[in-house]
Amino acid sequence: MKAKLLSAVAVVLLAVALAGCGSSKPAAGSVDGNIKITDDFNQTIVLKAPAKRIISLYSAHTENLLALGLEAEIIGVSPAESAQAAKDKPVFDYRADPEKVLAAQPDVVIIRPFIKQSHPDFVKTLEQANIKVVCLYPERFEEFDGYIKKLAVLTGREQQAGEQLAAFHARLNAVAEHTAKAQVKKRVYFEATTTEYRTITPDSMPGRVLQLAGGVNMAADAQPLKTSGSIAAYGSERLLMKAEEIDVFLAQRGPMNPGVTPEAIKQRPGFDKIKAVREGQVYIVDEKLVSTPSFRLADGVEQLARLLYPEVFSVQ
């Protein structure tokens, strides 16, 4: 009965989320028999039918498309893919000659804002050749459902998206049930990069993952380096001022913060003053699980929750 109740709650939450998309970005849908969405550069994308030939130039897009059952429709991927099903796909690079993309004749090329900002000529060449270029990237966790819905509308996979999102939110609800049993909430410092001991902003993707895992962000006063950014410079002085209040020290490892280890963190000057360091509560988490907008965020939330509150997960 309890499981059925959770499932029902998840469906209701999903319906609310899809209705508002958790964001001010315009929704997607079918207009006059055509498929129509507005992407993150406020461009209106219109297709006469669901996309069947898709080139994905961002690994998170690829993961989410695969989760919607679109392995056969993906005809090309980026050079940096982590999903096993994408390993044998043809590789396309936005830093290379766009002619290879043009020759593949895709229905859509799905990118993220960084690509359009850093390589505008690549994007312009595709658009001039009447290739539909869709730019999507959910900056905040609350935008994730709306982002998935847009991918689903583009590809005709609305039902699959609804099922995947319902399962995603049900997992988050299950984690919340466990962490609610914790008598004391853990105070956490989350390191985004070693440079300037940068941390995460509270409303960023990893900031919300930490919150969903039941952690208290000790750098909630951090200000983003750029408007609507997710990274904030914090510095060792501010960090060490809170040394005795930090129960757990987390650092993400990935392209943004390669090579970080618990041992290296413990050896930093002055870090022996941090409560978490003294008590051995220093952990490394995969950037892909906490900062990348894919369904694996649920894995990240659960992993962090288990690190923070092992006692409430030990009793099932």
Side-chain angles (χ1 to χ4, degrees):
M1 179 65 71
K2 188 175 182 180
K4 290 182 179 179
L5 179 59
L6 277 175
S7 177
V9 170
V11 170
V12 172
L13 289 174
L14 173 61
V16 173
L18 289 180
C21 296
S23 163
S24 60
K25 295 179 181 177
S30 179
V31 179
D32 297 328
N34 292 326
I35 291 168
K36 181 179 179 180
I37 73 162
T38 302
D39 76 0
D40 290 356
F41 272 93
N42 207 33
Q43 296 182 121
T44 300
I45 312 297
V46 179
L47 299 176
K48 293 183 179 179
K52 298 298 182 185
R53 295 178 59 79
I54 305 164
I55 292 178
S56 168
L57 295 184
Y58 177 43
S59 60
H61 294 333
T62 305
E63 281 192 40
N64 294 323
L65 292 167
L66 289 169
L68 298 182
L70 292 157
E71 182 176 351
E73 286 79 2
I74 299 172
I75 64 168
V77 296
S78 75
E81 295 291 339
S82 54
Q84 191 58 43
K87 298 295 185 182
D88 296 327
K89 297 285 186 181
V91 174
F92 295 83
D93 193 337
Y94 59 83
R95 292 160 293 203
D97 191 330
E99 288 300 323
K100 183 178 178 181
V101 176
L102 297 178
Q105 298 182 321
D107 294 332
V108 293
V109 175
I110 308 179
I111 65 172
R112 57 177 173 151
F114 169 79
I115 295 175
K116 187 162 185 173
Q117 291 161 350
S118 62
H119 291 76
D121 290 342
F122 175 86
V123 175
K124 185 176 180 181
T125 299
L126 299 185
E127 292 174 334
Q128 288 177 336
N130 294 319
I131 299 291
K132 303 289 187 182
V133 180
V134 184
C135 184
L136 297 172
Y137 185 83
E139 287 283 354
R140 295 177 175 82
F141 183 86
E142 287 73 17
E143 297 171 354
F144 181 72
D145 285 21
Y147 153 66
I148 294 297
K149 182 182 179 184
K150 289 184 180 183
L151 288 180
V153 169
L154 281 171
T155 58
R157 297 300 173 106
E158 291 95 332
Q159 180 178 342
Q160 290 87 342
E163 293 168 355
Q164 289 290 334
L165 285 167
F168 176 77
H169 287 290
R171 287 187 65 189
L172 298 183
N173 290 338
V175 170
E177 274 208 335
H178 278 87
T179 58
K181 300 171 186 175
Q183 295 183 352
V184 179
K185 293 298 182 183
K186 296 292 181 68
R187 298 167 297 181
V188 182
Y189 180 81
F190 191 114
E191 178 178 288
T193 71
T194 302
T195 304
E196 298 178 323
Y197 299 131
R198 291 176 179 171
T199 187
I200 54 174
T201 55
D203 61 350
S204 65
M205 196 72 73
R208 288 287 286 121
V209 167
L210 176 59
Q211 182 184 21
L212 289 165
V216 177
N217 186 354
M218 289 303 295
D221 56 339
Q223 297 298 314
L225 293 172
K226 57 182 181 180
T227 305
S228 74
S230 62
I231 305 300
Y234 211 65
S236 60
E237 184 176 347
R238 290 174 73 188
L239 173 58
L240 293 176
M241 284 178 65
K242 298 180 178 180
E244 279 300 325
E245 302 173 63
I246 299 172
D247 299 313
V248 177
F249 191 105
L250 296 176
Q252 66 177 2
R253 180 190 292 142
M256 290 176 59
N257 202 32
V260 64
T261 64
E263 292 71 26
I265 291 170
K266 293 172 186 177
Q267 292 171 9
R268 294 173 184 170
F271 272 47
D272 58 337
K273 296 181 175 66
I274 298 175
K275 178 185 175 185
V277 173
R278 292 199 312 270
E279 297 181 355
Q281 298 296 303
V282 179
Y283 303 102
I284 307 300
V285 294
D286 185 348
E287 183 182 314
K288 286 280 187 183
L289 299 184
V290 295
S291 295
T292 301
S294 76
F295 286 107
R296 285 201 287 169
L297 287 170
D299 295 332
V301 170
E302 183 173 337
Q303 183 183 101
L304 291 193
R306 287 180 179 276
L307 285 175
L308 297 178
Y309 307 107
E311 70 280 1
V312 301
F313 285 91
S314 60
V315 181
Q316 298 295 331

